[in-house]
Amino acid sequence: MQNGSVNQLRPEESEAAQLLRARLGADEVIPRYVPGAPEGTHDFDLTIGNQVLAVEVTTSADAVARSFWDAVHNREWEEPSLSRSWGLTLTSGARVHRVKDRAPRELQVLEHSDVTRFRFGQASATRDPEAVEALRSLADLGIQNGISSEVSPSRIHIATVGDGAWGGAEGLREVVEHEASTNAGKLSRAHADERHLFIWLDWTSHRAQAAVSSILRIGVAPPVPELPTGVDTVWVAPSSMVDSDMFLWSVSPPDPWNLSD
């Protein structure tokens, strides 16, 4: 990269630039969305000889799930009102602060009824009406299940998100078309020979995750997307995809996907 350019790019942009530079054999990386640049400027240019490639970097993520995990991060706390420690599994739409405020008193009711675990949708072993009502309240908070232990001091630990959406390889086309439509404006204004969109696939992007699984494990080829004017090539790579290896795929319609790593 040019001297000083690394500091002008965000980490995800810098990493994308390094991947593309290595793959394409680019000569320089020139940041474009720098202080003083017009709003809506793309992130950087790559130069290959006399050719200029404009690049915009984005991330495909489920905003609700990402917000949830940002809130959950390091959310394990001591709860002296309880006699046992509890691990709780939340749905992605659950409000962590509501769980922290309201779950302890419902868990106290379960402890008094000797309930040590529960799962939403399964019949409870208790017939205590107060415990049954506590279970309903916990479900209303978005708690999928809970399990307790005798670990001391008593704590509440937020475990994993309990839901997800799954599909096939066509999910990658849907993600690409959505992100390309969203970012075409920036790239269409770029003065360049080619315009490229780089998409990081976040693990919360369930459609992308399912598509990657189909492609890597089953060998299903993803459909070629329809790209809007202003986007010539799309690159995709995992930011933290679950159970997948690192890859860098590209597509320049109407040509098929290049799935070489």
Side-chain angles (χ1 to χ4, degrees), residues 140-162:
D140 289 342
L141 291 173
I143 300 174
Q144 290 277 69
N145 57 65
I147 185 169
S148 65
S149 66
E150 296 181 354
V151 173
S152 181
S154 298
R155 307 178 67 85
I156 290 180
H157 172 72
I158 301 300
T160 57
V161 175

Side-chain angles (χ1 to χ4, degrees), residues 6-247:
V6 173
N7 294 331
Q8 294 177 292
L9 294 175
R10 294 176 298 167
E12 62 270 26
E13 296 165 0
S14 178
E15 187 172 357
Q18 293 179 58
L19 287 172
L20 292 182
R21 186 177 189 184
R23 175 64 63 87
L24 298 174
D27 303 311
E28 288 184 315
V29 177
I30 305 173
R32 291 302 185 193
Y33 192 44
V34 296
E39 187 64 31
T41 300
H42 63 285
D43 291 320
F44 59 85
D45 286 340
L46 291 175
T47 62
I48 306 175
N50 294 325
Q51 190 178 35
V52 176
L53 278 60
V55 181
E56 175 68 13
V57 179
T58 191
T59 299
S60 174
D62 183 314
V64 173
R66 176 52 60 189
S67 175
F68 169 84
W69 278 109
D70 288 345
V72 160
H73 185 60
N74 290 331
R75 288 303 181 94
E76 178 179 288
W77 62 89
E78 290 189 19
E79 190 53 60
S81 66
L82 298 174
S83 60
R84 299 171 66 86
S85 289
W86 285 85
L88 304 178
T89 299
L90 276 59
T91 62
S92 60
R95 303 297 182 96
V96 177
H97 71 276
R98 293 179 63 224
V99 171
K100 188 170 185 179
D101 290 342
R102 295 170 52 186
R105 66 174 177 265
E106 309 298 348
L107 294 173
Q108 287 180 49
V109 174
L110 298 186
E111 290 181 345
H112 292 157
S113 297
D114 296 323
V115 176
T116 58
R117 63 174 64 200
F118 63 90
R119 179 181 294 275
F120 180 71
Q122 290 186 354
S124 172
T126 182
R127 294 186 179 182
D128 181 344
E130 291 187 357
V132 171
E133 185 59 34
L135 289 171
R136 290 197 187 101
S137 297
L138 291 169
D140 289 342
L141 291 173
I143 300 174
Q144 290 277 69
N145 57 65
I147 185 169
S148 65
S149 66
E150 296 181 354
V151 173
S152 181
S154 298
R155 307 178 67 85
I156 290 180
H157 172 72
I158 301 300
T160 57
V161 175
D163 57 358
W166 298 95
E170 66 274 6
L172 187 59
R173 178 185 62 189
E174 296 171 5
V175 167
V176 166
E177 289 180 346
H178 172 75
E179 297 298 338
S181 176
T182 301
N183 292 278
K186 288 184 180 181
L187 288 169
S188 64
R189 291 189 290 271
H191 298 288
D193 298 293
E194 294 182 12
R195 296 165 177 83
H196 292 224
L197 178 65
F198 190 106
I199 305 174
W200 289 111
L201 302 177
D202 188 80
W203 72 270
T204 63
S205 179
H206 300 304
R207 289 181 181 177
Q209 187 180 7
V212 168
S213 179
S214 295
I215 296 164
L216 290 178
R217 299 181 182 183
I218 306 175
V220 179
V224 176
E226 293 185 14
L227 300 182
T229 301
V231 182
D232 300 310
T233 297
V234 173
W235 301 82
V236 296
S239 57
S240 56
M241 297 291 290
V242 175
D243 296 329
S244 71
D245 297 325
M246 182 63 190
F247 58 83

